[in-house]
């Protein structure tokens, strides 16, 4: 629930899926698969961004089933209250007055915001808006938030892992990699 821009599973559904995958094929660590020449058949579990629910929801299930996984961290978000612009946008749009939606940005952005404001399917309209914004550099997106009066940090507390949680999971066989420092789209920066 804390990453509302993404589809989510209930813990019960996730655990059923994990049990099924474990039964169907070996679950390998990404490191083991790479160091083994990438020839082993199996399943590799990965999680992006380093959301707190990787620790509170996914990790207990992985630990219960003694399964490896790799979590790719947005490194500068770990232990802070920073949130990706996608999550910030998702939380902001329902509260953003329509006059602010139409007053900022280029013609395509204004069009996408108008579609969002008039849509019965807000999630699909949001996805189309983020698809467009992913073609823009971070500075463009951060300028939009500034013009909308939206702070760069969460007021609801951290939604990403802490470094202590990372260390604990690492000591139990969870691997970590980098998912950039600040969750930027590298092809447009």
């Amino acid at each position: 629930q804390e990453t509302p821009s993404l589809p989510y599973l209930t813990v019960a559904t996730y655990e059923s899926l994990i049990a099924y995958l474990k039964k169907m094929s070996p679950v390998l660590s990404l490191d083991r698969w790479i160091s083994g020449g990438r020839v082993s058949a199996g399943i590799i579990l990965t999680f992006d961004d380093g959301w707190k629910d990787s620790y509170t929801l996914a990790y207990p299930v992985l630990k219960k089933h003694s399964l490896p996984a790799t979590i790719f961290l947005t490194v500068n978000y770990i232990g802070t209250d920073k949130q990706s612009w996608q999550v910030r946008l998702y939380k902001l749009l329902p509260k953003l007055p329509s006059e602010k939606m139409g007053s900022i940005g280029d013609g395509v952005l204004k069009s996408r915001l108008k579609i969002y404001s008039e849509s019965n399917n807000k999630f699909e309209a949001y996805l189309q808006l983020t698809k467009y914004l992913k073609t823009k550099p971070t500075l463009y997106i951060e300028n939009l938030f500034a013009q909308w009066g939206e702070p760069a940090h969460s007021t609801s507390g951290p939604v990403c892992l802490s470094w202590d949680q990372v260390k604990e999971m690492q000591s139990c066989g969870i691997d970590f990699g980098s998912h950039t420092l600040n969750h930027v789209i590298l092809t447009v920066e």
Side-chain angles (χ1 to χ4, degrees):
Q1 290 280 20
E2 294 183 34
T3 54
S5 62
L6 305 172
Y8 64 92
L9 299 171
T10 65
V11 173
T13 301
Y14 170 69
E15 184 157 13
S16 296
L17 178 62
I18 290 296
Y20 173 78
L21 293 173
K22 185 178 174 181
K23 200 170 21 171
M24 297 307 292
S25 184
V27 178
L28 309 171
S29 76
L30 179 60
D31 284 346
R32 180 175 161 214
W33 181 70
I34 290 170
S35 66
R38 302 178 184 189
V39 293
S40 299
I43 296 166
I44 299 168
L45 301 173
T46 65
F47 300 84
D48 277 358
D49 302 328
W51 297 111
K52 185 169 56 175
D53 61 11
S54 298
Y55 178 81
T56 60
L57 304 176
Y59 171 59
V61 174
L62 295 169
K63 192 173 178 180
K64 176 181 174 181
H65 290 272
S66 300
L67 294 178
T70 300
I71 301 174
F72 293 98
L73 303 174
T74 305
V75 178
N76 283 345
Y77 289 18
I78 304 304
T80 74
D81 61 354
K82 290 181 181 178
Q83 296 181 8
S84 69
W85 65 260
Q86 294 94 334
V87 171
R88 291 168 50 214
L89 182 65
Y90 186 87
K91 290 178 177 181
L92 173 65
L93 285 173
K95 304 181 293 186
L96 194 63
S98 57
E99 63 272 4
K100 277 194 172 185
M101 280 192 192
S103 66
I104 296 170
D106 58 38
V108 175
L109 178 64
K110 288 178 182 176
S111 170
R112 297 280 166 98
L113 288 167
K114 185 175 194 284
I115 290 168
Y116 175 87
S117 69
E118 296 172 354
S119 178
N120 291 327
N121 186 344
K122 298 289 189 201
F123 187 71
E124 182 57 37
Y126 161 79
L127 291 176
Q128 292 304 312
L129 178 58
T130 58
K131 183 178 179 180
Y132 171 70
L133 287 174
K134 285 180 179 182
T135 68
K136 301 294 183 189
T138 302
L139 185 58
Y140 176 90
I141 295 166
E142 289 305 324
N143 282 337
L144 291 175
F145 282 109
Q147 291 176 61
W148 287 327
E150 178 67 11
H153 299 286
S154 166
T155 55
S156 60
V159 294
C160 288
L161 296 167
S162 71
W163 286 114
D164 287 340
Q165 291 167 330
V166 170
K167 289 175 192 170
E168 178 187 334
M169 288 189 289
Q170 191 171 37
S171 73
C172 291
I174 304 297
D175 295 324
F176 293 88
S178 176
H179 190 52
T180 75
L181 292 176
N182 295 302
H183 206 271
V184 297
I185 310 292
L186 295 174
T187 56
V188 297
E189 291 300 323

